[in-house]
Amino acid sequence: MPNKVGKNADYPRIDNSDALYERARQLIPGATQTLAKGPGQYVRGIAPKYLRKGKGSRVWDVDGNEFIDYQMGIGPLSLGYCYDSVDRAIAEQLRDGITFSMMHPLEVEVAELIREAVPGAEMVRYSKTGCDVTSAAVRLARAYTGRSKVLCCGYHGWHDWYIAVTDRNAGIPRAVQDLTYTFNYNDINSVIDGVDDDTACVILEPVVFEPPKEDFLAKLRDVCTERGVVLIFDEMWTGFRLAAGGAQEYFGVRADLMTYSKAIANGMPIAVLAGCEEIMTLCEKDVFFFTTFGGEALSLAAAKATITEIRTRNVPAALHRQGKKLREGYNAIASEIGMEYTRCTGMDCRTLVTFDGSAGNPLQLKSLLQQELFKRGILWGGSHNMSFSHTDADVAATLDAYREALPLVHDAVRNGGVTAALRGIPVDPVFRRTGNFNTKPAVPAGGRS
Ligand SMILES: Cc1ncc(COP(=O)(O)O)c(C=O)c1O
């Protein structure tokens, strides 16, 4: 019998997952299309690798095991799997067509909805993936300012201008690598030091897990305004989640350009570039940003239904409410049993469990906790990506699982038995660095570079 959410006698059987993986390895380099969904993020030998279906907050793998999902497609499932009003909108649109030979009215309708929801969204364009729109924003900023350099913080997608600064930058010419530098979140001096007269834009995720301190975002806005630099908020995670109007609304700070995807269409592939008219109008002629599927109507129908639901039912408030229970519940359990080395932190709609290293290798501890959560029907990659479908019962079942699993991890730490308790290969580090690498070389004495 496949496992269910709750107490299970054993770890889930994953024979069908493993068989598919063996076939994939012959054909698909790296096996996965999305690093965060690949086998490296889950304890190999214990965790399933392929999911077949979902409903609400629950998913079923290809062996029939059921889990409460806290990854939610790595962000897009803001409302939950197979959410009725969104699926209805997709089905209705499907009857009329998917992609057309001319523009579709939904392009206008969704743009109007976004303008209503998002501060400063004077103009709107669509594409398919997050990196499409972050790259378009960077190109617009370069065209608008006539400058070349980019200062960034956070993850922004697979395109050259960003991946150039990471340690997976093979295939990207040196000339491109020399145009992007990073700054450190919550460190305004690292921004001031990084900006020079050739800086076109500062792009960042307005918040990842660590909240902004000492008016960091407002100060950043001021530096950009003073230096004539375009400020881009990459709101892939924060948009339509932290608040309907994203981080700009939540923190009361305005960017010049904003990029969205993930939460906006409950799983359908669409990305949005929005911002002030003066910059966005460059897309009319000078800046080329066009793609065959940009106006694809199923995703636009899903976006219309999702944005409407997010706004009319105040979905962000629900995400924060349920996420807060998990964050506080986790921290209470950990404190009760004396696990001072682990904490759940972040914005309540999206929190992260961390291990501080004082009790052993954090990746091993994360892996052991994950292993025990999988046994109890929780699909967990270290964070709680909340959806509108995570119910009180889901939260209670998850806290029950933590109540059982955390003491097992703590016992293993105290007995020096973490490696022995692990029944599979530990997870890899998450490919996401937010600062302290590829910072701009120091200015030579006597002038700015
Ligand atoms: C903040 C942020 N920006 C950009 C991207 C890139 O989006 P995509 O993977 O859709 O290209 C991601 C993806 O996870 C992201 O988290």
Side-chain angles (χ1 to χ4, degrees):
M1 278 289 284
N3 278 3
K4 295 235 167 262
V5 172
K7 287 185 197 300
N8 289 294
D10 209 343
Y11 298 90
R13 292 203 56 165
I14 53 169
D15 305 341
N16 293 339
S17 265
D18 281 345
L20 275 167
Y21 183 55
E22 279 316 306
R23 284 163 58 195
R25 284 183 355 145
Q26 317 297 317
L27 270 175
I28 304 175
T32 182
Q33 327 304 320
T34 312
L35 194 55
K37 298 183 188 183
Q41 293 307 307
Y42 299 103
V43 181
R44 278 148 286 185
I46 289 293
K49 296 182 181 67
Y50 291 87
L51 298 177
R52 191 180 292 290
K53 66 173 186 176
K55 178 70 192 161
S57 62
R58 310 261 167 147
V59 286
W60 287 264
D61 70 13
V62 289
D63 290 271
N65 302 297
E66 179 188 19
F67 302 94
I68 301 174
D69 188 355
Y70 285 106
Q71 296 286 65
M72 299 311 275
I74 322 298
L77 279 304
S78 47
L79 299 176
Y81 290 93
C82 296
Y83 194 85
D84 282 344
S85 65
V86 180
D87 286 7
R88 236 184 353 260
I90 297 169
E92 276 167 22
Q93 183 56 45
L94 186 58
R95 280 197 289 274
D96 287 342
I98 303 170
T99 294
F100 296 87
S101 316
M102 290 186 180
M103 298 177 286
H104 192 277
L106 278 167
E107 294 173 46
V108 185
E109 291 169 31
V110 173
E112 285 169 350
L113 267 183
I114 292 170
R115 183 177 57 191
E116 260 177 51
V118 172
E122 293 167 2
M123 300 193 101
V124 175
R125 284 287 303 266
Y126 308 107
S127 196
K128 285 286 126 199
T129 69
C131 69
D132 285 355
V133 286
T134 55
S135 299
V138 166
R139 185 179 291 175
L140 271 174
R142 285 174 164 158
Y144 179 73
T145 58
R147 303 173 182 177
S148 305
K149 288 189 198 147
V150 175
L151 201 57
C152 68
C153 172
Y155 176 77
H156 305 293
W158 73 273
H159 285 182
D160 285 6
W161 71 265
Y162 171 69
I163 286 299
V165 300
T166 70
D167 53 9
R168 297 212 34 193
N169 58 6
I172 303 175
R174 182 78 227 180
V176 176
Q177 297 174 23
D178 288 343
L179 292 175
T180 302
Y181 297 100
T182 68
F183 64 94
N184 298 328
Y185 192 73
N186 270 334
D187 177 359
I188 196 66
N189 289 327
S190 73
V191 180
I192 293 167
D193 290 347
V195 167
D196 65 35
D197 293 342
D198 195 30
T199 305
C201 60
V202 167
I203 177 169
L204 78 160
E205 296 182 65
V207 63
V208 182
F209 294 109
E210 179 190 346
K213 289 185 196 129
E214 296 167 9
D215 279 337
F216 175 70
L217 294 176
K219 287 180 187 160
L220 186 63
R221 172 70 274 176
D222 290 346
V223 171
C224 289
T225 306
E226 279 159 24
R227 301 296 307 266
V229 170
V230 174
L231 178 59
I232 305 168
F233 276 1
D234 177 346
E235 296 233 33
M236 236 52 83
W237 273 103
T238 48
F240 299 88
R241 187 186 314 268
L242 210 51
Q248 288 193 108
E249 177 185 330
Y250 192 85
F251 296 117
V253 175
R254 284 282 185 92
D256 301 306
L257 296 174
M258 299 78 75
T259 59
Y260 303 88
S261 168
K262 300 209 191 262
I264 201 170
N266 202 42
M268 289 296 280
I270 182 168
V272 170
L273 167 67
C276 71
E277 188 176 345
E278 197 178 331
I279 305 178
M280 290 288 291
T281 43
L282 291 176
C283 285
E284 281 176 3
K285 191 155 178 292
D286 299 333
V287 169
F288 194 91
F289 174 43
F290 299 104
T291 181
T292 305
F293 293 113
E296 174 268 307
L298 292 189
S299 298
L300 285 164
K304 181 178 171 186
T306 305
I307 296 169
T308 303
E309 195 75 357
I310 285 173
R311 295 182 75 206
T312 53
R313 303 196 61 186
N314 197 356
V315 168
L319 305 185
H320 286 293
R321 195 167 53 246
Q322 297 300 65
K324 182 170 190 250
K325 287 184 210 161
L326 280 175
R327 181 176 57 75
E328 291 180 347
Y330 182 95
N331 288 335
I333 297 165
S335 293
E336 242 164 63
I337 56 179
M339 292 177 80
E340 298 308 331
Y341 49 87
T342 180
R343 278 291 165 270
C344 181
T345 61
M347 311 303 291
D348 285 329
C349 60
R350 183 185 177 219
T351 57
L352 176 74
V353 167
T354 58
F355 294 90
D356 70 13
S358 63
N361 179 336
L363 281 181
Q364 285 213 336
L365 299 186
K366 174 181 171 182
S367 302
L368 184 54
L369 179 56
Q370 186 189 71
Q371 166 185 302
E372 295 308 314
L373 290 174
F374 268 114
K375 185 176 176 187
R376 290 158 180 82
I378 310 291
L379 195 170
W380 180 92
S383 49
H384 304 124
N385 298 334
M386 303 309 295
S387 81
F388 197 47
S389 293
H390 282 103
T391 61
D392 289 345
D394 291 333
V395 170
T398 308
L399 291 175
D400 282 348
Y402 279 134
R403 238 171 250 116
E404 288 184 13
L406 283 171
L408 298 177
V409 176
H410 195 38
D411 283 350
V413 166
R414 283 185 299 190
N415 305 334
V418 173
T419 311
L422 267 170
R423 291 162 172 252
I425 302 169
V427 299
D428 297 337
V430 173
F431 178 74
R432 181 174 283 263
R433 297 169 68 187
T434 53
N436 264 327
F437 67 106
N438 207 65
T439 43
K440 196 160 145 269
V443 181
R448 293 201 82 87
S449 63

